[in-house]
Amino acid sequence: MTILAGNPQTGLLFSPPLDILGGIVNVYNFWGLVLSPAYLLWGPSDVYARISLAALGVLAVWNVFTLGRFLRSRWVGLLAAVPIAVYPSFVLVESTVLRESAVLFLLTSVVRLAIGPSSLSQARRIALCGAGLIMLPLLRWELWILEALAISAAAVVYLDARTDGDVRDRLHTHWVGTSALSIAFLYGIWQVSKRAARYLSFLHSERAVGRTAYLASVTFRQPLRMFAFAPVAVVYFLFTPFPWMVGTAADVVVAAEALGNVAFTVAAVRGIRSLLAHQLDWRVSTGWVALGVWVITGSILFGLGTANVGTAVRHRQMFIWVVYLFGAVGIVEWFSSYLLDSKVLY
């Protein structure tokens, strides 16, 4: 079952041939299966589904606030949560039957369980995090790649922190083996990049339609061209529409949100410097490294595959909330002296 134009549709969950890079499960039919309880109830089924997803959006806002409060103070949590709660693009998406609301809820919940405060036992936290990490690629298959990269980065930081740098010392000692592994790793990256460049260039061209399309003539079917275009794609992905792209009143609202994203990104630089200057618990520092990798790699992957403002606005919600967290830390650092004098920082 899937939802097309507001109507439930049936279909197979598994569509052969199976391709781990292209997605094993038909995500649209799986999403329809998730929503099916609302359409089995008597009454306005679409309203039930929208209310349920709006509730998930509210919980996502609370998760972000809790993470910010745990990270530094309630002001950090409030500043990070406000854009998600009031930006029209977030509010409108979370009131529809699109997957974005559920994805955002799962992301923020996994991070909160992993590094935030919780009254649950460690075993339950691990089980719930695992369930969330499994559900995310079922809703949007590309996320398994980002999960693998973020978890790998977190594992490296974790091992280094728990062994007091012993891993680095061993790598320096066995430099021949380390060099061989690095060459093999880079070769693997290159081979994957060739396939990714062809797929993302095709996806970019397919999405470069409509009034809000941008960079429609750009193609990057070779890895080097893809790498060169990636910074531009990320900027457009996170900060569109630019002023010269505004054509309607609705565009003005979204452009104002984009300016807010720019401000939070600038503040995030200060926030990251502040976090690095503090001695954080190894679990928290590992989590923030994973989130940093998530934002960077996710913005590159989805930025390369996006070529219109509407898609960018929906997809960047999976990543921009982390920028809001880091940016909120930077904003509070800038105004900390005033807040302390006013006795409202904590």
Side-chain angles (χ1 to χ4, degrees):
M1 175 179 173
T2 187
I3 305 299
L4 296 175
N7 299 312
Q9 305 289 329
T10 58
L12 296 175
L13 286 180
F14 302 94
S15 301
L18 302 182
D19 181 4
I20 194 170
L21 291 179
I24 294 175
V25 176
N26 186 313
V27 293
Y28 298 107
N29 291 340
F30 179 77
W31 179 235
L33 179 64
V34 173
L35 294 179
S36 60
Y39 288 86
L40 295 176
L41 295 175
W42 180 85
S45 301
D46 191 58
V47 174
Y48 298 152
R50 290 172 182 267
I51 291 176
S52 300
L53 292 175
L56 293 183
V58 173
L59 292 175
V61 173
W62 177 253
N63 286 337
V64 172
F65 171 77
T66 303
L67 283 168
R69 185 177 59 183
F70 172 73
L71 177 65
R72 185 60 55 86
S73 69
R74 71 172 185 269
W75 280 100
V76 171
L78 184 63
L79 287 172
V82 162
I84 305 174
V86 304
Y87 273 10
S89 61
F90 277 92
V91 175
L92 292 175
V93 167
E94 290 169 0
S95 63
T96 65
V97 293
L98 297 174
R99 293 167 288 165
E100 275 69 22
S101 181
V103 170
L104 185 62
F105 164 72
L106 287 172
L107 283 171
T108 55
S109 297
V110 167
V111 175
R112 180 183 173 183
L113 287 168
I115 65 176
S118 177
S119 59
L120 299 176
S121 65
Q122 184 176 7
R124 289 184 178 180
R125 290 170 65 156
I126 293 174
L128 290 173
C129 283
L133 292 174
I134 292 172
M135 278 290 295
L136 282 168
L138 294 178
L139 294 178
R140 192 170 286 283
W141 69 265
E142 308 97 320
L143 297 185
W144 79 263
I145 303 173
L146 306 182
E147 287 182 0
L149 293 172
I151 292 173
S152 298
V156 171
V157 175
Y158 169 79
L159 290 174
D160 185 65
R162 300 296 285 178
T163 59
D164 295 326
D166 184 58
V167 173
R168 281 176 293 172
D169 294 338
R170 291 191 177 188
L171 290 176
H172 292 157
T173 303
H174 302 87
W175 62 272
V176 175
T178 303
S179 300
L181 288 175
S182 299
I183 293 173
F185 176 76
L186 292 175
Y187 177 77
I189 291 294
W190 178 256
Q191 294 301 316
V192 172
S193 298
K194 289 194 291 186
R195 179 173 179 179
R198 293 191 295 268
Y199 174 75
L200 291 173
S201 182
F202 166 77
L203 196 60
H204 180 92
S205 300
E206 287 291 305
R207 288 175 172 170
V209 294
R211 182 183 63 83
T212 62
Y214 58 79
L215 305 176
S217 61
V218 176
T219 59
F220 44 89
R221 297 183 63 83
Q222 294 78 33
L224 292 180
R225 294 193 65 178
M226 180 181 69
F227 294 144
F229 177 64
V232 177
V234 170
V235 171
Y236 270 81
F237 177 66
L238 295 178
F239 307 125
T240 52
F242 298 116
W244 60 86
M245 301 169 67
V246 173
T248 66
D251 292 343
V252 175
V253 176
V254 182
E257 294 182 9
L259 289 176
N261 292 348
V262 173
F264 270 99
T265 302
V266 173
V269 177
R270 173 64 181 272
I272 293 172
R273 290 177 56 189
S274 174
L275 292 173
L276 292 175
H278 288 77
Q279 294 294 328
L280 298 176
D281 177 77
W282 66 266
R283 184 168 60 88
V284 177
S285 60
T286 299
W288 292 122
V289 168
L291 281 178
V293 172
W294 173 270
V295 171
I296 295 172
T297 56
S299 298
I300 293 173
L301 177 65
F302 280 83
L304 288 169
T306 301
N308 68 73
V309 175
T311 304
V313 169
R314 287 192 297 111
H315 288 176
R316 69 189 179 202
Q317 295 180 4
M318 296 182 288
F319 312 103
I320 198 67
W321 67 273
V322 182
V323 177
Y324 295 156
L325 269 177
F326 290 141
V329 174
I331 293 172
V332 169
E333 287 290 324
W334 277 328
F335 294 97
S336 59
S337 58
Y338 166 76
L339 294 173
L340 285 170
D341 293 340
S342 303
K343 298 180 180 181
V344 296
L345 182 58
Y346 297 103

